[in-house]
Structures are given as C-alpha cells and as structure tokens.
Amino acid sequence: MSPANVRRWSWLHTWSSLVCTVFMLLLCLTGLPLIWRHEIGHLLGNDIEAPPLAAALVSTPPPSLDRVIAAGRARYPHKVMMYMSQEPDEPALWFLTMGEHATDPDFKSVAIDARTARFVGEPPIEGGGVMQFIFHLHVDLFAGVWGKLFLGAMGMLLLTAIVSGVVLYAPFMRKQDFGTVRRGRTARLKWLDLHNLLGIVTLVWGLVVGATGVVNTLADVLLQVWQATEIAAMTTPYAGQPAPAAFAPVEAAVRNAERAAPGMRVGFVAFPGTPFASPHHYGVYMHGDAPLTSRLYAPVLVDARTAAVTDRRDLPWYLTALLLSQPLHFGDYGGAGMKAVWTLLDVATLVVLGSGLYLWLRRGRAAARPARVPARAAPALAREGEAE
C-alpha cells in the first residue's frame, strides 16, 4: 500500500473511531448486564412463573381465551385489550397488555394462568428499576426514535472503523508474527500492539454485533414501512368502512388462524386498533417451535366481526432480518455458553476502545511537546513510527 493510501485509511480509521468511541464504550458497558438480563431478572425476583396445578385439574380442558381475557379485565375493568402473548418456554401463562386505548404507551401487563384463567401477577415493565434504566440507555439514550437512529449512525461509524482497521493491519502483519506484542520499548507501542491484536480477535464479533445493532435501531422505521405497505395491502378491502361495534370471540379467531397456519403456534395476538392489526382485524402472529423459527412470525389477519381469516402471508425480508438480529445481538441463541462468550468479547472490545482512545491522546501530547530527541535515539524512534 502506498504511503498516500496509508494516510487516507489511517485518517478514516482514526476519526470514525474517535467520533463513535464514547458511545461505543457506553453501549458495551450497558450491554454487559443486558446479555444476562433474563438471569438478572430471575435473581431480582422479576420472573413470574405459573403456580403448580392441582391434581384434580390436570385432566381439565383449558379455559377459553375469552375467559383468560375476562380474568385480566377483572383486574383493570376500564382498560381495553391491546395484546396477549405467550413465551415459548412458558405455555402455562398468558401475558395480557391493556391500556386506556389501543395505542396507550402507559399500558399495564397482567399474567393469567392459561390452565385455570386465574390471575398470577403483574410483571414489571422491561425488568423495572435499574435494568429498565440500562435498557433505555442502551437502546435509545432516552430519546425515542431519534436516539435509536443516532446510535445507528454511531454503529455505522464503528463498522467503518473495523473495516479500515483491518485494511491498516494487513500490511503490518507482513512484518510481524500474528499476536506479537512488543514489550520493553515504549508503553504506547505495547498498547498499540495490544489494540491491534484484540481488534483482530474481536473482528467477526464486532462486525456481527455492530451490524445487528444498526438493524435493531431501525426497528421503528421498518415497522412503519411494513404497516404502510404489507398491512395496508392486507386490509385494502376494508378501507373506508367503520370499525365494528362488537368483536367476535378471540377463541374463535385464534382457532381459525391456527387452521390457516398448520404446524405453527400462537406467539401473540394484536387486538383491533393496535399497530400490529387494523381497526377491523385481530392480528394473530404465529411462529414455529425450532430455535430459529420460534423467532420468526407469520401474521394472520382475522376479521374482528366474523372471526374469518382474511389474509395470511410471510414477513418481508427486512423484518425477518430484524427478528433474527435482535436475539443475535445479545447472544440469546446458544444459552449460557454463548452468553459467556459474548461477555468475554464485550470486555475485550472495551479494551480495544479504551486503548484506541489512549493511543490518540498520547499521540496528541507527543505532537504538542517540543522535539528534544538525542541523536542516538532518532533511528529507534523512526522505526517505531514506521511500525504505527
């Protein structure tokens, strides 16, 4: 690589890194507890589990979904249903989301036993307390959609820094063995080698987490695109019609959706008027049972007045990418082992970011000092500068 190209790539790497470093340090620090958020929630007692079922009720048919909803509404009789969902690993509970209206941001969440239609508890929103604070700091800096988009831009700069760092490291590797950390010279040179080594070790992880993080910041935008295109096309026959005054039983709507998507199970139900349905439909979102397909949803629209299925289609590619990115970003695919690897790589990335900032600050101080270099030391310093 010519010296001019080295200077250009070095400038790109330096400034793309510097602009995003503070925010990447924040994201890596807040990301550490979020990797283990389920385990932390369990330790804090935030998990809600289904109570043991009495022996006399084991063979009793489960109550209808409308009875489950009635149990939740008995807790909040003046609120309307927004969503109901089941976790893949907890089929004995239905989680009901209710609000003052179909898009109420101050909703309430209620857990109802799917086997008895009895109230179990109210899960804290997003873990509550400290974990909720960390979550918002990591996801949107408490700035909503604009905070997410800003962090997405920082993620793009991170990806630029990673790629430019690889381009700069490739010619350096021709002169040194892989993993070389030169000791016994200057502290800055040792940290430079360590920065380069850890940067290459975390290369793939950094690209994966950075790319999935950028995709996740676009979630709100992608959902709006989907609603304006796919959902609008699915509900075109109902355009201009008034919303129904009464709704069909949810049990009938869900059973018809299950028949329209054989081999799949219900993930969540969106009620009329919510962003995942329409004023005239229930949105029944089905998913598979495998680790991968359990993350992917197939929407089935059901007429809210008649409980008849009106349309079913697969999600577009960009929402599929989003749903696959969300668990991969936090290492949710491989259990505790994968989370442990994610944690170690996160810590290594913190060292890469911190050492990069240290190297830039040391270089700035060295440039600001008057040059008083003994003649015999000049050749050694020249060779060190070439190594950088």
Side-chain angles (χ1 to χ4, degrees), residues 1-13 164 167-168 171:
M1 187 185 301
S2 68
N5 283 335
V6 170
R7 285 193 296 272
R8 281 193 287 268
W9 280 106
S10 180
W11 181 91
L12 182 63
H13 180 69
S164 57
V167 172
L168 290 171

Side-chain angles (χ1 to χ4, degrees), residues 246-307:
F247 298 143
V250 177
E251 179 76 19
V254 169
R255 298 304 162 233
N256 289 338
E258 288 176 333
R259 283 190 284 272
M264 305 185 77
R265 55 182 295 184
V266 178
F268 71 95
V269 180
F271 283 72
T274 57
F276 289 88
S278 86
H280 307 88
H281 293 86
Y282 293 111
V284 183
Y285 289 77
M286 316 293 291
H287 62 78
D289 291 324
L292 182 62
T293 59
S294 65
R295 311 282 183 172
L296 301 177
Y297 290 94
V300 180
L301 286 191
V302 180
D303 190 303
R305 185 174 56 84
T306 66

Side-chain angles (χ1 to χ4, degrees), residues 198-246:
L198 290 177
I200 291 300
V201 169
T202 59
L203 169 66
V204 174
W205 182 83
L207 288 172
V208 169
V209 173
T212 54
V214 170
V215 172
N216 289 341
T217 63
L218 298 174
D220 293 328
V221 175
L222 296 178
L223 285 173
Q224 288 176 5
V225 171
W226 175 65
Q227 290 161 1
T229 55
E230 298 280 332
I231 291 293
M234 295 170 76
T235 59
T236 296
Y238 292 81
Q241 296 184 20

